[in-house]
Amino acid sequence: MHPSLATFTDLYELTMAQAYWQEGMAETATFSFFFRSLPPHRGYLVAAGIEPLLAELDGFHFTEEDIAALRQLRRFHEDFLSYLAGVRFTGSVRAVAEGTVVFANEPLLEVTAPILQAQLVETLVVNRLHVYTLLASKAARVRWAAGPQRQVVDFGARRCHGLEAADMAAYSGWLVGFEGTSNVHAGLRYGIPLYGTMAHSFVTAFPHELDAFRAYARTFPDSTTLLVDTYDTVAGIKHALRIAGELQQQGHQLRGIRLDSGDLASLSRIARQLADAAGFPHLQIFASGGIDEYTIEQLVAQRAPIDAFGVGTKYGVSQDAPYGDCAYKLVSYAGRATLKLSEHKQTLPGSKQVYRFYDPTGQMLYDQIALAEEPPPLGGQPLLHEVIREGRRVHPPVSLDASRQYFRQQWASLPEPCKDLHNPVPYDVQLSVRLHQLTKQLTEQLRAELHPPDHTPAG
Amino acid sequence: MHPSLATFTDLYELTMAQAYWQEGMAETATFSFFFRSLPPHRGYLVAAGIEPLLAELDGFHFTEEDIAALRQLRRFHEDFLSYLAGVRFTGSVRAVAEGTVVFANEPLLEVTAPILQAQLVETLVVNRLHVYTLLASKAARVRWAAGPQRQVVDFGARRCHGLEAADMAAYSGWLVGFEGTSNVHAGLRYGIPLYGTMAHSFVTAFPHELDAFRAYARTFPDSTTLLVDTYDTVAGIKHALRIAGELQQQGHQLRGIRLDSGDLASLSRIARQLADAAGFPHLQIFASGGIDEYTIEQLVAQRAPIDAFGVGTKYGVSQDAPYGDCAYKLVSYAGRATLKLSEHKQTLPGSKQVYRFYDPTGQMLYDQIALAEEPPPLGGQPLLHEVIREGRRVHPPVSLDASRQYFRQQWASLPEPCKDLHNPVPYDVQLSVRLHQLTKQLTEQLRAELHPPDHTPAG
């Protein structure tokens, strides 16, 4: 069968839904999605996946085929399945804008809906916001390491965890300022510029490297980047420059060469010197092969004359942080603020707002996490805005290009010391006095209730 | 627009395709997919993703909408686009069976087709085989660490990199012997048994933990597993046992409790003692929360009385090896064996076969990688079999359950020292004399050709 997107849920969401239904628990719940902590070496996160998620919530429903398949599991009441067939998302969603810089414990998104609905979308919400945010955060680091003078292109498609993940990587890279992607599916889907060079297989399909280079240059005389490391990189560079000369005689220009292995700092220097000496100062040097923000930082520090980076595997799987410690937690039900106390996993109760404070030059000063019901503090800019009300989008979807523009502003306001790749200066995030008090009060109340004299094991 | 699966390709596959087309290069090519090395701590890999990939190759073609979108890129010749619209996969594929244990440099799959076709499917082939194989390999480690007495269930859905990746994790876990998954989408799609307990949100939605437990037990009186760590784990265990007693009086049985945080070894011991003392020796103890093969190994070594593990995030993203060093390389074109020499990335030329040798008890002894054209060595079992011929499946697709059975046999024949989680004994993989000679001869020939006196840079 072909289960619908609504079935992308953990089984317990459905069993809990039946319990809520059977118990008549139809009050309003608020769930909050946030990262408990920043992944290693990260000084910030870039919130992403919100726009794609909102599009998916829009049409949320179980199909007849889903219901029939769930029936065959023989776990659910028939009346509950009939009810489930009619469930649509009728709640509200508040979220930060796609591309907002966020920190630990700050909600990226809050869902307020009848508890059954808000619970059912948990897996979907977490799955989307988690990976998009990890990828956008990794991409921002890569983009920053490369600096404004060098291009960065997503080459992750083949090693991302699926086609969908590859599209997420292309999207997230574009969001934070990559120049494009090699992934044609994503390029066509999102209108992201497409980049490509050539593969080793093309070179080895010809008896000689020069024949391969000539054939490619014949096909794309004005947009060829030649891959030079198939056999011997320095010999490959010389072959490429020979092609550059041949193209020049025909009124064309070789665009660039790509280095994909070896010592990229010294090979790029050799390539630059040979190209300049041969009269091709505009020949672009493209580097790829195991590149991430750390490699780029080193190459830039070594003043390697590289014009563009293709970031593949290590970007596409967010190699040094393939997961983040995020959660979608119930923070209020039927007007009562809730929290959990589990070891190292205590949460903050109540629906929240995040206020951001800026200095007069527009630099971010600090954030305050407050209860949504509190009056806004003077000078604080709220980050969460209502985006879905009674199941409908409040505004038209924000385009990826508009989010890309928005991210650029966000990024400019983030203090440079927070951007460091190794030991970022922690950004100051405060809790409001009322949030702090509520957390303390609820914690004490729950602890007191946990050990009343009558609570001994049965048996 | 909605680009089709055929567009899930790196741009250079399409530009190279146009170059092959323009140059009239329509000869047969063989590409080989293999892992250059095993990821850290791995003694083997479990080949997976082959059956899903074959299903995708079956219908490979560009839609009219794809072609129209590619036209708008203004990079391709109109005649080439017309040609592309008619391209179908008409080649042959040889592959190991889904669930085969493989090692570095052994081809998992070889594609033999007109070079343009074999090139176009590169991104798709690598994307699928890479992540499925990583996940199946991680799952095999987890399954092995848990031992035959304890259940293992995939809980990765929310942290996997997308819905597609979550389904891949559920599939891969089931392939190597997990008991099931929490992912309803995957369960319905593949017929994998579904497992679920309850979430902290369910507990916090009630004023008191006991109320939450009672409500859940009312809804599922014979299949309830109670999550006990929301506030205080030991108090939660006592509450659960009280529910167990209440259910027993009504003729039902509490199935289990779930521990999701804290010191799982000591908490599981407390839970076991309290449950046994209360007269519930069959109450199942389920553990989750940051669990992977390393955690399981430690808990088993400490004799923690845990009956089942839910493996989520660290399994679902293959946390300690989120990518592997794999490649899809041209190994022959137009009858000529090819290779590349790039630093640390040299490949082996020619279409290959892998032969496996067993001792009299059925244990794997060693493998030999040979040229496909060589006569089979005496006693060696070939691992690669033709699965697609002239674009059509040779046999009906193999069901996931059949692959699961096959994996079980494979696993039984893999020597135990190769399964170690930290320092596995390397399995012996040899190259045939002819493959060794061909590699040496081609390498020397290419090196000699690289520096002829006339190959100096132009300019």
Side-chain angles (χ1 to χ4, degrees), chain B residues 324-355:
Chain B
D325 185 15
C326 61
Y328 178 81
K329 287 295 160 195
L330 182 72
V331 293
S332 83
Y333 178 65
R336 179 177 59 82
T338 62
L339 53 68
K340 62 178 250 196
L341 300 175
S342 315
E343 212 171 323
H344 304 304
K345 291 185 178 178
Q346 172 156 359
T347 54
L348 298 168
S351 178
K352 298 173 196 70
Q353 180 56 278
V354 180
Y355 296 97

Side-chain angles (χ1 to χ4, degrees), chain A residues 10 117 179 231 297 332 334 442 445:
Chain A
D10 289 287
Q117 292 176 24
E179 271 65 25
Y231 303 117
E297 184 182 46
S332 84
L442 277 181
Q445 186 183 320

Side-chain angles (χ1 to χ4, degrees), chain B residues 165-446:
Chain B
D167 280 4
M168 289 167 162
Y171 172 108
S172 302
W174 181 245
L175 175 67
V176 305
F178 281 16
E179 271 66 25
T181 180
S182 65
N183 175 349
V184 177
H185 190 272
L188 299 183
R189 182 173 171 195
Y190 295 120
I192 301 171
L194 286 165
Y195 283 75
T197 62
M198 69 195 303
H200 297 105
S201 53
F202 190 86
V203 177
T204 57
F206 290 78
H208 299 286
E209 187 172 65
L210 262 174
D211 302 334
F213 285 5
R214 270 196 198 104
Y216 208 76
R218 266 195 298 273
T219 312
F220 299 100
D222 294 306
S223 62
T224 284
T225 296
L226 297 169
L227 176 62
V228 295
D229 77 327
T230 303
Y231 302 117
D232 175 289
T233 304
V234 176
I237 293 167
K238 291 177 180 172
H239 287 163
L241 292 173
R242 187 151 153 180
I243 300 297
E246 294 173 8
L247 279 171
Q248 194 176 44
Q249 285 170 8
Q250 299 153 25
H252 298 292
Q253 197 178 323
L254 181 66
R255 180 178 289 171
I257 61 155
R258 175 158 77 106
L259 305 167
D260 189 47
S261 58
D263 177 348
L264 296 173
S266 71
L267 290 171
S268 64
R269 252 181 235 113
I270 293 169
R272 187 73 274 152
Q273 285 164 3
L274 290 174
D276 290 352
F280 301 106
H282 300 300
L283 189 82
Q284 193 185 47
I285 299 177
F286 205 109
S288 59
I291 287 183
D292 61 11
E293 68 269 42
Y294 305 111
T295 334
I296 292 176
E297 185 182 46
Q298 283 177 4
L299 289 167
V300 168
Q302 293 171 74
R303 301 181 185 279
I306 293 169
D307 304 299
F309 293 102
V311 289
T313 303
K314 289 182 182 172
Y315 163 58
V317 304
S318 186
Q319 180 261 333
D320 66 336
Y323 71 92
D325 185 15
C326 61
Y328 178 81
K329 287 295 160 195
L330 182 72
V331 293
S332 83
Y333 178 65
R336 179 177 59 82
T338 62
L339 53 68
K340 62 178 250 196
L341 300 175
S342 315
E343 212 171 323
H344 304 304
K345 291 185 178 178
Q346 172 156 359
T347 54
L348 298 168
S351 178
K352 298 173 196 70
Q353 180 56 278
V354 180
Y355 296 97
R356 183 154 290 170
F357 295 80
Y358 296 87
D359 74 11
T361 71
Q363 289 285 290
M364 291 162 53
L365 268 182
Y366 65 94
D367 288 0
Q368 186 193 78
I369 308 176
L371 291 167
E373 67 197 36
E374 292 186 55
L378 198 68
Q381 300 290 322
L383 295 188
L384 291 146
H385 299 282
E386 192 174 46
V387 286
I388 291 182
R389 185 187 303 151
E390 293 177 9
R392 293 175 184 278
R393 299 289 291 263
V394 174
H395 307 291
V398 179
S399 74
L400 177 53
D401 284 348
S403 297
R404 183 174 152 98
Q405 290 298 328
Y406 173 76
F407 170 77
R408 193 177 295 187
Q409 297 164 21
Q410 282 282 302
W411 188 248
S413 70
L414 179 66
E416 285 296 303
C418 300
K419 298 176 184 172
D420 189 87
L421 300 180
H422 305 279
N423 296 300
V425 171
Y427 181 75
D428 185 18
V429 177
Q430 308 173 356
L431 301 191
S432 76
V433 173
R434 280 188 53 192
L435 177 55
H436 190 79
Q437 284 173 340
L438 178 65
T439 307
K440 186 158 177 263
Q441 173 207 324
L442 277 180
T443 305
E444 285 168 2
Q445 185 184 322
L446 283 164

Side-chain angles (χ1 to χ4, degrees), chain A residues 58-71:
Chain A
D58 228 3
F60 182 88
H61 77 284
F62 291 89
T63 63
E64 282 182 32
E65 197 185 3
D66 294 337
I67 299 293
L70 291 174
R71 184 175 293 120

Side-chain angles (χ1 to χ4, degrees), chain A residues 117-244:
Chain A
Q117 292 176 24
Q119 186 81 66
L120 276 179
V121 300
E122 171 171 17
T123 310
L124 185 69
V125 169
V126 176
N127 181 275
R128 272 60 179 109
L129 300 187
H130 171 255
V131 61
Y132 274 110
T133 297
L134 283 182
L135 287 168
S137 306
K138 181 84 173 169
R141 293 163 62 80
V142 167
R143 178 64 276 186
W144 183 72
Q149 309 302 325
R150 295 171 200 84
Q151 296 191 325
V152 179
V153 176
D154 159 46
F155 275 9
R158 65 189 60 187
R159 303 280 177 80
C160 286
H161 294 181
L163 182 165
E164 189 189 18
D167 280 4
M168 289 167 163
Y171 172 107
S172 301
W174 181 247
L175 175 67
V176 305
F178 282 15
E179 271 65 25
T181 180
S182 66
N183 175 350
V184 177
H185 191 272
L188 299 182
R189 183 174 170 193
Y190 296 119
I192 301 171
L194 287 165
Y195 283 74
T197 62
M198 69 196 302
H200 297 105
S201 53
F202 189 86
V203 176
T204 57
F206 290 78
H208 299 286
E209 188 173 64
L210 262 174
D211 302 333
F213 285 4
R214 272 197 195 102
Y216 208 75
R218 266 196 298 272
T219 311
F220 300 100
D222 295 305
S223 62
T224 285
T225 296
L226 296 170
L227 176 62
V228 295
D229 77 326
T230 304
Y231 303 117
D232 175 291
T233 304
V234 176
I237 293 167
K238 292 178 180 172
H239 288 163
L241 292 172
R242 187 151 154 179
I243 301 297

Side-chain angles (χ1 to χ4, degrees), chain B residues 11-281:
Chain B
L11 181 68
Y12 73 8
E13 313 289 7
L14 284 169
T15 54
M16 289 189 288
Q18 180 169 314
Y20 292 138
W21 169 82
Q22 187 168 316
E23 296 288 316
M25 290 173 68
E27 300 279 341
T28 298
T30 296
F31 282 78
S32 190
F33 177 88
F34 59 95
F35 283 79
R36 286 195 189 90
S37 57
L38 300 176
H41 313 303
R42 266 62 170 172
Y44 58 86
L45 289 169
V46 179
I50 290 157
E51 287 294 326
L53 172 66
L54 296 179
E56 291 180 332
L57 287 178
D58 228 2
F60 182 88
H61 76 285
F62 292 90
T63 64
E64 282 182 32
E65 198 186 0
D66 294 339
I67 299 293
L70 291 174
R71 184 176 294 121
Q72 290 184 354
L73 298 179
R74 297 170 187 273
R75 287 171 183 267
F76 301 107
H77 284 292
E78 191 53 40
D79 289 350
F80 170 68
L81 291 174
S82 302
Y83 176 80
L84 199 63
V87 168
R88 300 291 180 277
F89 185 74
T90 62
S92 73
V93 176
R94 294 159 62 248
V96 303
E98 186 83 342
T100 300
V101 170
V102 294
F103 304 93
N105 295 312
E106 296 185 347
L108 280 68
L109 179 139
E110 291 197 341
V111 174
T112 299
I115 192 164
L116 184 148
Q117 293 176 25
Q119 186 81 65
L120 276 179
V121 300
E122 172 171 17
T123 309
L124 184 68
V125 169
V126 177
N127 181 275
R128 272 62 180 109
L129 300 187
H130 171 254
V131 62
Y132 274 110
T133 298
L134 283 182
L135 287 168
S137 305
K138 182 83 173 170
R141 293 163 64 80
V142 168
R143 180 64 276 186
W144 184 74
Q149 309 303 324
R150 296 171 201 85
Q151 295 191 325
V152 179
V153 177
D154 160 45
F155 275 8
R158 67 190 60 187
R159 302 280 177 79
C160 285
H161 294 183
L163 182 164
E164 189 189 20
D167 280 4
M168 289 167 162
Y171 172 108
S172 302
W174 181 245
L175 175 67
V176 305
F178 281 16
E179 271 66 25
T181 180
S182 65
N183 175 349
V184 177
H185 190 272
L188 299 183
R189 182 173 171 195
Y190 295 120
I192 301 171
L194 286 165
Y195 283 75
T197 62
M198 69 195 303
H200 297 105
S201 53
F202 190 86
V203 177
T204 57
F206 290 78
H208 299 286
E209 187 172 65
L210 262 174
D211 302 334
F213 285 5
R214 270 196 198 104
Y216 208 76
R218 266 195 298 273
T219 312
F220 299 100
D222 294 306
S223 62
T224 284
T225 296
L226 297 169
L227 176 62
V228 295
D229 77 327
T230 303
Y231 302 117
D232 175 289
T233 304
V234 176
I237 293 167
K238 291 177 180 172
H239 287 163
L241 292 173
R242 187 151 153 180
I243 300 297
E246 294 173 8
L247 279 171
Q248 194 176 44
Q249 285 170 8
Q250 299 153 25
H252 298 292
Q253 197 178 323
L254 181 66
R255 180 178 289 171
I257 61 155
R258 175 158 77 106
L259 305 167
D260 189 47
S261 58
D263 177 348
L264 296 173
S266 71
L267 290 171
S268 64
R269 252 181 235 113
I270 293 169
R272 187 73 274 152
Q273 285 164 3
L274 290 174
D276 290 352
F280 301 106

